[in-house]
């Protein structure tokens, strides 16, 4: 079925939601989605997660536990609006430096504006680039984070190898992503919410349901927790693990470059 999840062997590179597209076509389609929702990205995440994304992001940064050290360097990928980066900087006592990378200039513009208002601009660098081809030297970062963005990267295996390349020895990868619900009753409730309510709310908020329909479908196509953990291991990471949040609606994946 078109709705079935892709596996550790791949498939997301030609999956635009439930629609099959040519290899190389997905990135442009995804870019258009995020140009449309950039100004209302926080509202979008609230709708997608019933507000729980804020709790999950706090838990992600608590798990990272960034050092209170001005030499600490983190890379937050697909994090244009700054949600994770701001949390990392604050958790470090405003000492760490975070590079925020996103392929979408509209998202980065929102993040830079928010950083200025929060007085965090000196701790942040905003870079427009592709997760599949990072413009950084080997062994550059202590941490690589990506929240709710990896499923929008066409070649996930390539992005994970790039993450491994730019991390220092002892560096940590943390990936927060919507995943496979492992509680039968919650699964049915979440299915109804996702496919019936979320696109309707999206139309009400933005006047356009299509971006939300894609985002819901992309969650269903993304590999489940064990398959994605296998992809992380295949990219070279050690001590790979995952923690389910809210019955598996989201999962935090961890790996180390040893």
């Amino acid at each position: 079925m078109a709705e079935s999840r892709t596996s550790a062997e791949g498939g997301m590179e030609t999956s635009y939601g439930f629609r099959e597209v040519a290899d190389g076509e997905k990135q442009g389609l995804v870019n258009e989605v995020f140009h449309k929702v950039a100004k209302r990205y926080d509202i979008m995440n609230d709708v997608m997660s019933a507000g729980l994304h804020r709790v999950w992001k706090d838990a992600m940064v608590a798990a990272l536990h960034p050092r209170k050290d001005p030499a600490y360097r983190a890379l937050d990928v697909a994090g244009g609006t700054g949600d994770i980066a701001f949390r990392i900087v604050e958790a470090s006592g405003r000492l760490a430096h975070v590079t925020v990378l996103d392929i979408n200039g509209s998202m980065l513009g929102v993040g830079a504006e928010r950083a200025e208002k929060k007085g965090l601009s000196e701790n942040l660098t905003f870079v427009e680039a592709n997760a599949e081809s990072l413009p950084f030297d080997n062994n550059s970062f202590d941490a690589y984070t990506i929240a709710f963005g990896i499923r929008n990267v066409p070649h996930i295996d390539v992005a994970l190898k790039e993450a491994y390349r730019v991390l220092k020895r002892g560096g940590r990868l943390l990936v927060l992503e919507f995943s496979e619900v492992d509680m039968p009753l919650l699964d049915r409730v979440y299915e109804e919410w996702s496919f019936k309510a979320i696109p309707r709310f999206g139309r009400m908020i933005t006047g356009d349901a299509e971006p939300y329909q894609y985002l819901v479908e992309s969650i269903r196509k993304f590999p489940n927790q064990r398959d994605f953990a296998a992809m992380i291991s295949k990219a070279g990471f050690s001590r790979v693990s995952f923690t389910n949040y809210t019955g598996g609606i989201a999962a935090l994946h961890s790996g180390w470059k040893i």
Side-chain angles (χ1 to χ4, degrees), residues 157-168:
D157 57 335
V158 175
L160 290 173
K161 288 174 183 175
E162 278 290 271
Y164 187 88
R165 180 183 67 79
V166 301
L167 278 171
K168 299 174 183 177

Side-chain angles (χ1 to χ4, degrees), residues 12-68:
M12 290 296 284
E13 61 274 7
T14 57
S15 169
Y16 179 71
F18 292 161
R19 184 174 129 208
E20 286 295 306
V21 297
D23 194 3
E25 186 179 355
K26 178 177 177 176
Q27 190 65 71
L29 294 169
V30 171
N31 287 352
E32 186 59 30
V33 166
F34 285 95
H35 281 306
K36 289 179 180 178
V37 303
K39 294 293 185 182
R40 290 185 169 91
Y41 185 68
D42 284 341
I43 298 173
M44 180 194 77
N45 277 334
D46 282 329
V47 170
M48 296 287 290
S49 70
L52 287 168
H53 74 100
R54 301 173 190 274
V55 177
W56 299 334
K57 288 172 179 175
D58 286 344
M60 179 187 195
V61 175
L64 179 63
H65 193 57
R67 296 195 311 271
K68 292 180 170 62

Side-chain angles (χ1 to χ4, degrees), residues 50-189:
L52 287 168
H53 74 100
R54 301 173 190 274
V55 177
W56 299 334
K57 288 172 179 175
D58 286 344
M60 179 187 195
V61 175
L64 179 63
H65 193 57
R67 296 195 311 271
K68 292 180 170 62
D69 180 352
Y72 187 84
R73 294 288 181 270
L75 173 65
D76 185 45
V77 174
T81 60
D83 260 11
I84 298 299
F86 300 156
R87 284 171 166 83
I88 293 173
V89 171
E90 295 290 6
S92 75
R94 296 199 169 198
L95 293 175
H97 189 92
V98 182
T99 298
V100 181
L101 182 140
D102 205 298
I103 199 169
N104 191 290
S106 297
M107 299 288 280
L108 289 167
V110 172
E113 184 178 326
R114 291 178 68 197
E116 186 70 29
K117 289 178 180 178
K118 290 175 178 288
L120 296 177
S121 296
E122 290 187 5
N123 297 84
L124 299 165
T125 300
F126 290 87
V127 176
E128 185 172 347
N130 193 322
E132 296 177 14
S133 181
L134 298 175
F136 310 113
D137 293 336
N138 297 349
N139 310 307
S140 295
F141 296 97
D142 298 286
Y144 175 116
T145 57
I146 179 168
F148 306 117
I150 194 73
R151 75 182 190 281
N152 299 310
V153 176
H155 300 92
I156 293 172
D157 57 335
V158 175
L160 290 173
K161 288 174 183 175
E162 278 290 271
Y164 187 88
R165 180 183 67 79
V166 301
L167 278 171
K168 299 174 183 177
R169 291 288 171 185
R172 192 178 187 187
L173 167 79
L174 282 178
V175 182
L176 179 62
E177 189 53 85
F178 289 109
S179 201
E180 184 174 62
V181 178
D182 62 359
M183 298 172 63
L185 180 59
L186 179 60
D187 185 31
R188 289 195 294 273
V189 172

